[in-house]
Structures are given as C-alpha cells and as structure tokens.
Amino acid sequence: MSGLAKRIIPCLDVRDGQTVKGVNFVGLRAAGDPVELGKAYSDAGADELVFLDITASHEGRKTFTEMVSRVAEVINIPFTVGGGISEIADVDRLLGAGADKVSVNSAALLHPGLIEQIARKYGSQVCVCAIDAKQTWPSGEAHDGAFSPETGSPEWYCYLKGGRERTSRRLFEWAYEAQERGAGEILFTSMDHDGVKQGFANEALLRLSEELSIPVIASGGAGKKEHFRDAFAEGHADAALAASVFHFGEISIPDLKIYLKGEGIHIRI
C-alpha cells in the first residue's frame, strides 16, 4: 500500500436526472437528487465524488452537462464525471462544466487511443479508466465458484455499455494497457459484487494493485464498514467507491472514516 491517504468516494449513478442504484447493474431504484446528494457528501467529508450517467453509452447520449455544472457549483472536492464520453470534445465540454476528471469505459475499450488523446491534452491525472468486469468461463457462462481440471479457472472479462455486452478483453491485460496508454487511475467494478453488499473483490483488487503503478479504485460490494477496511488492507486499493450504503443512510462518511482510522488505515478525517 502506498503512503498516500486512502480515499472514500461516493458514486452518483444518474439516469434521467435522478440518482439510482441497483443490484448487479439491474433493478434500479431512485435514490435522490444528484445535486443535493453531491453537496451533502462534500459537506460530510467525502474525498472525491464520481458522477456516472449510466445509460449514456447504451442510448448513445451525451452526459447531462447542465447537471454536471450544477453539482460542480455546490461541492469543493475533486469531481469525476463519466458516461457517453466518446471523443475529446466530450472531455472538453465536461471539464468546462466543472469536472476535474473524466471516466471513460465503453469508448476506451472500443477505441483505446482515446485514453492517449485525453492524457496528451490534459495529463494522465484527468483520465480515469473505468472497467466493469465479471468472472465468466471463456464460453460466456457465469462463474459459480467451481473449478475443474477440464475447464480450468474462470477469467475476469470486461463488459461494455453499462454491463450489457461482454467483450473478449480480460480485466488484468486491459487495465495494464490502459495504464500504458496514459490512464491516471483504474476504477474497477466487479459486476458480481455490485449492490450485493458482501464485500469487494479483494483478490482481483490485490492483483491489480500489484501489477499496476497507478491508483486503483475499488467499486462494487460495500455493505458495511469492514468491507472498506478489507478493500484497503487486503485488496490494497487506493480508494473505495460506494453508492447505496451512503445514499440510503446505512453508513455515514464521518463514522466510516473514524472507524477506518481506528483500524490503522491512513485516512483523511
């Protein structure tokens, strides 16, 4: 683990102007106004805020720029925005609206040169490469935890368009390529863990942290304070992102930070 303070990052998944949250990327339910939530998290001591227009890529829309501006006006912490970013003009627009960083996912998988373009124009610190992945067999069947000598081990495959389309790209090789192309951070979401609240994918996080030289953000699986501790202590993540446990008041950010500090995690109170 690096000597830098670990970061706690609330995530606003936004659809049609409302914050939503689901389980395993489906079954979305409303969670509140993004502007109000963003301000509340900034005031509560969140280290950063992530805003994702979760249907922008799927529907071919551009991220809701006006809402980005409204959120940026009421927060005083670093602000990452993603969803539907497919060209450098999208990055220009979002940074102009008040974002500090952009998160690219589907477009980067389809056109990896986009990462290089962003890094070249704005610097690596602006480019977050988000990766949605799940463990499946090469055939595409879901992973049930089983292993056999005939079939071997399941692999982590990357998914496009909000988890709707599986690609042939594997998590660890794509994360490394994204780093080499100029991404400043990797935001790794385990689709199997998303919204289930049973803990983060710490084994995969640890491997990412060991193989990469850029920060890794853990996403998918937060259900209690211990899960954040484990993401840092076992997964060696640099930051942990969560949504529903914050949106629905299950964990408060001040309480979480006090707990983590008591557990020996280097955190900014």
Side-chain angles (χ1 to χ4, degrees):
M1 288 185 283
S2 71
L4 295 174
K6 303 301 182 183
R7 290 170 286 149
I8 300 298
I9 306 177
C11 180
L12 305 180
D13 294 323
V14 177
R15 182 183 67 177
D16 301 327
Q18 280 294 306
T19 307
V20 294
K21 187 60 193 136
V23 176
N24 302 132
F25 282 41
V26 295
L28 302 176
R29 61 173 173 148
D33 177 73
V35 180
E36 292 177 6
L37 282 171
K39 184 178 189 310
Y41 292 140
S42 179
D43 293 345
D47 296 294
E48 297 189 17
L49 184 70
V50 169
F51 174 106
L52 299 176
D53 189 334
I54 59 171
T55 51
S57 295
H58 174 57
E59 298 170 5
R61 291 185 292 103
K62 301 301 183 186
T63 303
F64 193 16
T65 313
E66 180 192 344
M67 184 169 288
V68 171
S69 297
R70 290 171 55 211
V71 173
E73 286 173 4
V74 298
I75 66 173
N76 57 9
I77 53 177
F79 184 28
T80 300
V81 179
I85 296 170
S86 59
E87 58 188 6
I88 204 75
D90 298 327
V91 181
D92 294 338
R93 187 179 72 252
L94 292 171
L95 295 180
D100 299 292
K101 310 177 194 179
V102 294
S103 169
V104 290
N105 189 334
S106 299
L109 270 166
L110 294 169
H111 307 289
L114 178 62
I115 295 174
E116 291 165 306
Q117 291 175 20
I118 297 170
R120 195 159 48 237
K121 183 167 184 179
Y122 292 109
S124 291
Q125 77 282 354
V126 165
C127 184
V128 178
C129 183
I131 304 176
D132 299 329
K134 68 190 299 186
Q135 278 187 300
T136 57
W137 303 103
S139 64
E141 294 177 54
H143 168 44
D144 61 2
F147 170 85
S148 74
E150 293 79 30
T151 56
S153 299
E155 293 271 359
W156 284 93
Y157 284 93
C158 302
Y159 280 69
L160 288 172
K161 299 182 179 177
R164 292 173 179 82
E165 293 181 19
R166 193 185 97 147
T167 73
S168 61
R169 298 303 304 265
R170 289 173 169 85
L171 166 64
F172 302 105
E173 66 180 35
W174 170 234
Y176 184 79
E177 180 180 332
Q179 170 185 278
E180 295 306 290
R181 287 181 179 271
E185 293 182 278
I186 298 295
L187 168 53
F188 161 55
T189 301
S190 167
M191 294 171 60
D192 295 313
H193 293 71
D194 176 70
V196 181
K197 300 183 180 179
Q198 296 298 309
F200 294 91
N202 292 324
E203 288 185 19
L205 281 169
L206 179 60
R207 182 172 167 188
L208 285 169
S209 297
E210 289 177 339
E211 294 184 4
L212 302 177
S213 59
I214 58 176
V216 176
I217 304 168
S219 170
K224 54 186 181 179
K225 296 172 187 174
E226 290 82 359
H227 295 154
F228 290 88
R229 176 199 64 198
D230 294 345
F232 296 134
E234 298 175 13
H236 290 196
D238 297 276
L241 176 147
S244 60
V245 292
F246 296 143
H247 299 340
F248 301 118
E250 296 163 42
I251 298 175
S252 82
I253 291 173
D255 287 350
L256 173 60
K257 288 192 161 191
I258 291 168
Y259 165 78
L260 290 171
K261 187 167 187 179
E263 292 290 310
I265 304 296
H266 181 26
I267 199 86
R268 193 178 293 110
I269 300 285

Coordinates of all heavy atoms in Angstrom, one line a residue, residues 14-79:
V14 N -26.5 8.2 -12.3 CA -27.7 9.1 -12.7 C -28.3 8.6 -14.0 O -27.7 8.3 -14.9 CB -27.2 10.5 -12.8 CG1 -28.3 11.4 -13.3 CG2 -26.6 11.0 -11.5
R15 N -29.7 8.5 -13.9 CA -30.5 8.2 -15.1 C -31.6 9.2 -15.1 O -32.4 9.3 -14.1 CB -31.0 6.8 -15.0 CG -31.8 6.4 -16.3 CD -32.3 5.0 -16.2 NE -33.3 4.9 -15.1 CZ -34.0 3.8 -14.8 NH1 -33.8 2.7 -15.5 NH2 -34.9 3.8 -13.9
D16 N -31.8 9.8 -16.2 CA -32.9 10.8 -16.4 C -33.0 11.8 -15.3 O -34.1 12.1 -14.8 CB -34.3 10.0 -16.5 CG -34.3 9.0 -17.6 OD1 -33.6 9.3 -18.7 OD2 -34.9 7.9 -17.5
G17 N -31.9 12.3 -14.8 CA -31.8 13.4 -13.9 C -32.0 12.9 -12.4 O -32.0 13.8 -11.5
Q18 N -32.1 11.6 -12.1 CA -32.2 11.1 -10.8 C -31.1 10.2 -10.5 O -30.6 9.4 -11.3 CB -33.6 10.4 -10.6 CG -34.7 11.4 -10.4 CD -34.6 12.2 -9.1 OE1 -34.5 11.6 -8.0 NE2 -34.7 13.5 -9.1
T19 N -30.6 10.2 -9.2 CA -29.7 9.2 -8.7 C -30.4 7.9 -8.6 O -31.5 7.8 -8.0 CB -29.1 9.6 -7.4 OG1 -28.6 10.9 -7.5 CG2 -27.9 8.7 -7.0
V20 N -29.8 6.8 -9.1 CA -30.4 5.5 -9.0 C -29.4 4.5 -8.5 O -28.2 4.7 -8.5 CB -31.0 5.0 -10.3 CG1 -32.2 5.9 -10.8 CG2 -29.9 5.0 -11.4
K21 N -29.9 3.3 -8.0 CA -29.0 2.3 -7.6 C -29.7 0.9 -7.8 O -30.8 0.8 -7.5 CB -28.6 2.4 -6.1 CG -27.5 1.5 -5.6 CD -26.2 1.6 -6.4 CE -25.3 0.4 -6.2 NZ -24.7 -0.1 -7.4
G22 N -28.9 -0.1 -8.3 CA -29.4 -1.4 -8.5 C -28.6 -2.5 -7.8 O -27.7 -2.2 -7.0
V23 N -28.8 -3.7 -8.3 CA -28.0 -4.8 -7.8 C -27.5 -5.6 -9.1 O -28.3 -5.9 -10.0 CB -28.9 -5.8 -7.0 CG1 -28.1 -7.0 -6.6 CG2 -29.3 -5.1 -5.7
N24 N -26.2 -5.8 -9.2 CA -25.6 -6.5 -10.3 C -26.0 -5.7 -11.6 O -26.3 -6.3 -12.7 CB -26.1 -7.9 -10.5 CG -25.7 -8.7 -9.2 OD1 -26.5 -9.5 -8.7 ND2 -24.5 -8.6 -8.8
F25 N -26.1 -4.4 -11.5 CA -26.3 -3.5 -12.7 C -27.8 -3.5 -13.2 O -28.1 -2.9 -14.2 CB -25.4 -3.8 -13.8 CG -24.0 -3.3 -13.7 CD1 -23.3 -3.4 -12.4 CD2 -23.3 -2.8 -14.8 CE1 -22.0 -2.9 -12.3 CE2 -22.0 -2.3 -14.6 CZ -21.4 -2.4 -13.4
V26 N -28.7 -4.1 -12.5 CA -30.1 -4.1 -12.9 C -31.0 -3.8 -11.7 O -30.5 -3.7 -10.5 CB -30.5 -5.5 -13.5 CG1 -29.8 -5.7 -14.8 CG2 -30.3 -6.6 -12.5
G27 N -32.3 -3.7 -11.9 CA -33.3 -3.5 -10.8 C -33.0 -2.1 -10.2 O -33.0 -2.0 -8.9
L28 N -32.9 -1.1 -11.0 CA -32.6 0.3 -10.4 C -33.8 0.9 -9.7 O -34.9 0.8 -10.0 CB -32.2 1.2 -11.6 CG -31.1 0.7 -12.5 CD1 -30.9 1.7 -13.6 CD2 -29.8 0.6 -11.7
R29 N -33.4 1.5 -8.6 CA -34.4 2.3 -7.8 C -33.9 3.7 -7.5 O -32.7 3.9 -7.4 CB -34.8 1.6 -6.5 CG -33.7 1.4 -5.5 CD -34.2 0.8 -4.2 NE -33.1 0.4 -3.3 CZ -33.2 0.5 -2.0 NH1 -34.3 0.9 -1.4 NH2 -32.2 0.1 -1.2
A30 N -34.8 4.6 -7.3 CA -34.4 6.0 -7.1 C -33.8 6.2 -5.8 O -34.1 5.6 -4.8 CB -35.7 6.9 -7.2
A31 N -32.8 7.1 -5.8 CA -32.0 7.4 -4.5 C -31.9 8.8 -4.2 O -31.2 9.2 -3.2 CB -30.6 6.7 -4.6
G32 N -32.5 9.7 -5.0 CA -32.4 11.1 -4.7 C -31.9 12.1 -5.7 O -31.5 11.6 -6.8
D33 N -31.9 13.3 -5.4 CA -31.4 14.4 -6.3 C -29.9 14.4 -6.3 O -29.3 14.6 -5.3 CB -32.0 15.7 -5.9 CG -31.5 16.8 -6.8 OD1 -32.0 16.9 -7.9 OD2 -30.6 17.6 -6.3
P34 N -29.3 14.3 -7.5 CA -27.8 14.3 -7.6 C -27.2 15.6 -7.0 O -26.1 15.5 -6.4 CB -27.5 14.2 -9.1 CG -28.8 13.7 -9.7 CD -29.9 14.2 -8.8
V35 N -27.8 16.7 -7.2 CA -27.1 18.0 -6.7 C -27.2 18.0 -5.2 O -26.2 18.3 -4.5 CB -27.9 19.2 -7.3 CG1 -27.2 20.5 -6.8 CG2 -27.8 19.1 -8.8
E36 N -28.3 17.6 -4.6 CA -28.4 17.6 -3.1 C -27.5 16.6 -2.5 O -26.8 16.8 -1.5 CB -29.9 17.3 -2.7 CG -30.9 18.4 -3.1 CD -32.3 18.1 -2.7 OE1 -32.5 17.0 -2.1 OE2 -33.2 18.9 -3.0
L37 N -27.4 15.4 -3.1 CA -26.6 14.3 -2.6 C -25.1 14.8 -2.7 O -24.3 14.5 -1.8 CB -26.8 13.0 -3.4 CG -28.1 12.2 -3.0 CD1 -28.3 11.1 -4.0 CD2 -27.9 11.7 -1.6
G38 N -24.7 15.3 -3.9 CA -23.4 15.7 -4.1 C -22.9 16.7 -3.0 O -21.8 16.6 -2.4
K39 N -23.8 17.7 -2.7 CA -23.4 18.7 -1.7 C -23.3 18.1 -0.3 O -22.4 18.4 0.5 CB -24.5 19.8 -1.7 CG -24.1 21.0 -0.7 CD -25.1 22.1 -0.7 CE -24.7 23.3 0.1 NZ -24.2 22.9 1.5
A40 N -24.3 17.2 0.0 CA -24.3 16.5 1.3 C -23.0 15.7 1.5 O -22.4 15.7 2.6 CB -25.5 15.6 1.4
Y41 N -22.5 15.0 0.4 CA -21.3 14.2 0.5 C -20.1 15.1 0.7 O -19.1 14.8 1.4 CB -21.2 13.3 -0.7 CG -22.2 12.2 -0.7 CD1 -22.8 11.8 -1.8 CD2 -22.6 11.5 0.5 CE1 -23.8 10.8 -1.9 CE2 -23.6 10.6 0.5 CZ -24.1 10.2 -0.7 OH -25.1 9.2 -0.7
S42 N -20.0 16.2 -0.1 CA -18.9 17.1 0.0 C -18.8 17.7 1.4 O -17.8 17.7 2.1 CB -19.1 18.2 -1.0 OG -18.1 19.2 -0.9
D43 N -20.0 18.1 2.0 CA -20.0 18.6 3.3 C -19.7 17.6 4.4 O -19.2 17.9 5.5 CB -21.4 19.2 3.6 CG -21.8 20.4 2.8 OD1 -20.8 21.0 2.2 OD2 -23.0 20.8 2.7
A44 N -20.0 16.3 4.1 CA -19.7 15.2 5.1 C -18.3 14.7 5.1 O -17.9 13.9 6.0 CB -20.7 14.0 4.8
G45 N -17.5 15.2 4.2 CA -16.0 14.9 4.2 C -15.6 13.8 3.2 O -14.6 13.2 3.4
A46 N -16.5 13.6 2.2 CA -16.0 12.7 1.2 C -14.8 13.2 0.5 O -14.6 14.4 0.4 CB -17.1 12.5 0.1
D47 N -13.9 12.3 0.1 CA -12.6 12.8 -0.5 C -12.8 13.2 -2.0 O -12.1 14.0 -2.5 CB -11.6 11.7 -0.4 CG -11.3 11.4 1.1 OD1 -10.7 12.3 1.7 OD2 -11.6 10.3 1.5
E48 N -13.7 12.5 -2.7 CA -14.0 12.8 -4.1 C -15.4 12.4 -4.3 O -16.1 11.8 -3.5 CB -13.1 12.0 -5.0 CG -11.6 12.4 -4.9 CD -10.7 11.7 -6.0 OE1 -11.3 11.3 -7.0 OE2 -9.5 11.7 -5.8
L49 N -15.9 12.8 -5.5 CA -17.3 12.5 -5.9 C -17.2 12.0 -7.4 O -16.5 12.5 -8.2 CB -18.2 13.7 -5.8 CG -19.7 13.4 -6.2 CD1 -20.3 12.6 -5.0 CD2 -20.4 14.8 -6.3
V50 N -17.9 10.9 -7.6 CA -18.0 10.3 -9.0 C -19.5 10.4 -9.5 O -20.4 10.1 -8.7 CB -17.5 8.9 -9.1 CG1 -17.9 8.3 -10.4 CG2 -16.0 8.8 -8.9
F51 N -19.6 10.9 -10.7 CA -21.0 11.1 -11.3 C -21.0 10.3 -12.6 O -20.2 10.6 -13.5 CB -21.2 12.6 -11.5 CG -22.4 13.0 -12.2 CD1 -23.4 13.6 -11.6 CD2 -22.5 12.9 -13.6 CE1 -24.6 14.1 -12.2 CE2 -23.6 13.3 -14.3 CZ -24.7 13.9 -13.6
L52 N -21.8 9.3 -12.7 CA -21.9 8.5 -13.9 C -23.3 8.5 -14.5 O -24.3 8.1 -13.8 CB -21.5 7.0 -13.5 CG -20.1 6.8 -13.0 CD1 -20.0 5.3 -12.6 CD2 -19.1 7.2 -14.0
D53 N -23.4 9.0 -15.7 CA -24.6 8.9 -16.4 C -24.7 7.5 -17.0 O -24.1 7.2 -18.0 CB -24.7 9.9 -17.6 CG -26.0 10.0 -18.2 OD1 -26.8 9.0 -18.2 OD2 -26.3 11.1 -18.8
I54 N -25.4 6.6 -16.3 CA -25.2 5.1 -16.5 C -25.9 4.6 -17.8 O -25.6 3.5 -18.2 CB -25.7 4.3 -15.3 CG1 -27.2 4.6 -15.1 CG2 -24.9 4.6 -14.1 CD1 -27.8 3.7 -14.0
T55 N -26.8 5.4 -18.4 CA -27.4 5.0 -19.7 C -26.9 5.8 -20.9 O -27.4 5.5 -22.0 CB -28.9 5.1 -19.6 OG1 -29.3 6.4 -19.2 CG2 -29.5 4.1 -18.6
A56 N -25.9 6.6 -20.7 CA -25.5 7.5 -21.8 C -24.9 6.7 -22.9 O -25.2 6.9 -24.1 CB -24.5 8.5 -21.3
S57 N -24.0 5.7 -22.6 CA -23.3 4.9 -23.6 C -24.4 4.0 -24.3 O -24.4 3.9 -25.5 CB -22.2 4.0 -23.0 OG -21.2 4.8 -22.5
H58 N -25.2 3.4 -23.5 CA -26.2 2.5 -24.1 C -27.2 3.2 -25.0 O -27.5 2.7 -26.1 CB -27.0 1.9 -22.9 CG -28.2 1.0 -23.4 ND1 -28.0 -0.1 -24.2 CD2 -29.5 1.1 -23.1 CE1 -29.2 -0.6 -24.4 NE2 -30.1 0.0 -23.7
E59 N -27.6 4.4 -24.7 CA -28.6 5.1 -25.5 C -27.9 6.1 -26.5 O -28.6 6.7 -27.2 CB -29.5 5.9 -24.6 CG -30.3 4.9 -23.7 CD -31.1 5.7 -22.6 OE1 -31.1 6.9 -22.6 OE2 -31.7 5.0 -21.7
G60 N -26.6 6.1 -26.5 CA -25.9 7.0 -27.4 C -26.0 8.4 -27.1 O -25.9 9.3 -28.0
R61 N -26.3 8.8 -25.9 CA -26.5 10.2 -25.5 C -25.2 10.7 -24.9 O -24.3 10.0 -24.5 CB -27.6 10.3 -24.5 CG -29.0 10.0 -25.0 CD -30.0 10.3 -23.9 NE -29.9 9.4 -22.8 CZ -29.4 9.7 -21.6 NH1 -28.8 10.8 -21.4 NH2 -29.3 8.7 -20.6
K62 N -25.2 12.0 -24.8 CA -24.0 12.7 -24.2 C -24.4 12.9 -22.7 O -25.6 13.1 -22.4 CB -23.7 14.0 -24.8 CG -23.4 13.9 -26.3 CD -22.2 13.0 -26.5 CE -21.8 12.9 -28.0 NZ -20.7 12.0 -28.3
T63 N -23.4 13.0 -21.8 CA -23.7 13.2 -20.4 C -24.4 14.5 -20.2 O -24.2 15.5 -20.9 CB -22.4 13.2 -19.6 OG1 -21.7 11.9 -19.9 CG2 -22.6 13.3 -18.1
F64 N -25.3 14.5 -19.3 CA -26.1 15.7 -19.0 C -25.3 16.8 -18.4 O -25.1 17.0 -17.2 CB -27.2 15.3 -18.0 CG -28.3 16.3 -17.8 CD1 -28.6 17.3 -18.8 CD2 -29.2 16.2 -16.7 CE1 -29.6 18.2 -18.6 CE2 -30.2 17.1 -16.6 CZ -30.4 18.1 -17.5
T65 N -24.8 17.7 -19.3 CA -23.8 18.7 -19.0 C -24.3 19.7 -18.0 O -23.6 20.1 -17.1 CB -23.3 19.4 -20.2 OG1 -23.0 18.4 -21.2 CG2 -22.1 20.2 -19.9
E66 N -25.5 20.1 -18.1 CA -26.1 21.1 -17.2 C -26.1 20.6 -15.8 O -25.7 21.3 -14.8 CB -27.5 21.4 -17.6 CG -28.2 22.5 -16.7 CD -29.7 22.6 -16.9 OE1 -30.2 22.1 -18.0 OE2 -30.3 23.2 -16.1
M67 N -26.4 19.3 -15.6 CA -26.4 18.8 -14.2 C -25.0 18.7 -13.6 O -24.8 19.0 -12.4 CB -27.0 17.4 -14.1 CG -27.2 16.9 -12.7 SD -28.2 15.4 -12.6 CE -29.8 16.2 -12.9
V68 N -24.0 18.4 -14.5 CA -22.6 18.4 -14.0 C -22.3 19.8 -13.5 O -21.6 19.9 -12.5 CB -21.7 18.0 -15.2 CG1 -20.2 18.3 -14.8 CG2 -21.9 16.6 -15.6
S69 N -22.7 20.8 -14.2 CA -22.4 22.2 -13.8 C -23.0 22.5 -12.4 O -22.4 23.1 -11.5 CB -22.9 23.2 -14.8 OG -22.3 23.1 -16.0
R70 N -24.3 22.0 -12.3 CA -25.0 22.3 -11.0 C -24.3 21.6 -9.8 O -24.2 22.1 -8.7 CB -26.4 21.9 -11.1 CG -27.2 22.8 -12.1 CD -28.6 22.2 -12.4 NE -29.3 21.9 -11.1 CZ -30.2 20.9 -11.0 NH1 -30.5 20.1 -12.0 NH2 -30.9 20.7 -9.8
V71 N -23.9 20.4 -10.1 CA -23.2 19.6 -9.0 C -21.8 20.3 -8.7 O -21.5 20.5 -7.5 CB -22.9 18.2 -9.4 CG1 -22.1 17.5 -8.3 CG2 -24.3 17.4 -9.5
A72 N -21.1 20.7 -9.7 CA -19.8 21.3 -9.5 C -19.9 22.6 -8.7 O -19.0 22.9 -7.9 CB -19.1 21.6 -10.9
E73 N -21.0 23.3 -8.9 CA -21.1 24.6 -8.2 C -21.3 24.4 -6.6 O -21.0 25.3 -5.9 CB -22.4 25.3 -8.7 CG -22.2 25.9 -10.1 CD -23.5 26.5 -10.6 OE1 -24.5 26.5 -9.9 OE2 -23.4 27.0 -11.8
V74 N -21.7 23.2 -6.2 CA -22.1 23.1 -4.8 C -21.1 22.2 -4.0 O -21.3 21.9 -2.8 CB -23.5 22.6 -4.6 CG1 -24.5 23.6 -5.1 CG2 -23.7 21.2 -5.2
I75 N -20.0 21.7 -4.7 CA -19.1 20.8 -4.0 C -17.7 21.5 -4.0 O -17.4 22.3 -4.8 CB -19.0 19.4 -4.6 CG1 -18.5 19.5 -6.0 CG2 -20.4 18.8 -4.6 CD1 -18.2 18.1 -6.7
N76 N -16.8 21.0 -3.1 CA -15.5 21.6 -3.1 C -14.4 20.4 -3.0 O -13.4 20.6 -2.3 CB -15.3 22.6 -1.9 CG -15.7 21.9 -0.6 OD1 -15.9 20.7 -0.5 ND2 -15.7 22.7 0.5
I77 N -14.8 19.3 -3.6 CA -13.9 18.2 -3.6 C -13.7 17.7 -5.1 O -14.5 18.1 -6.0 CB -14.4 17.0 -2.8 CG1 -15.9 16.7 -3.3 CG2 -14.4 17.3 -1.3 CD1 -16.5 15.5 -2.6
P78 N -12.6 17.0 -5.4 CA -12.4 16.5 -6.8 C -13.7 15.8 -7.3 O -14.3 15.0 -6.6 CB -11.2 15.6 -6.7 CG -10.5 16.2 -5.5 CD -11.5 16.6 -4.5
F79 N -14.0 16.0 -8.6 CA -15.2 15.6 -9.2 C -14.9 14.9 -10.5 O -14.4 15.5 -11.5 CB -16.1 16.9 -9.4 CG -17.5 16.6 -10.0 CD1 -18.2 15.5 -9.7 CD2 -18.1 17.6 -10.7 CE1 -19.5 15.3 -10.2 CE2 -19.4 17.5 -11.2 CZ -20.1 16.3 -10.9

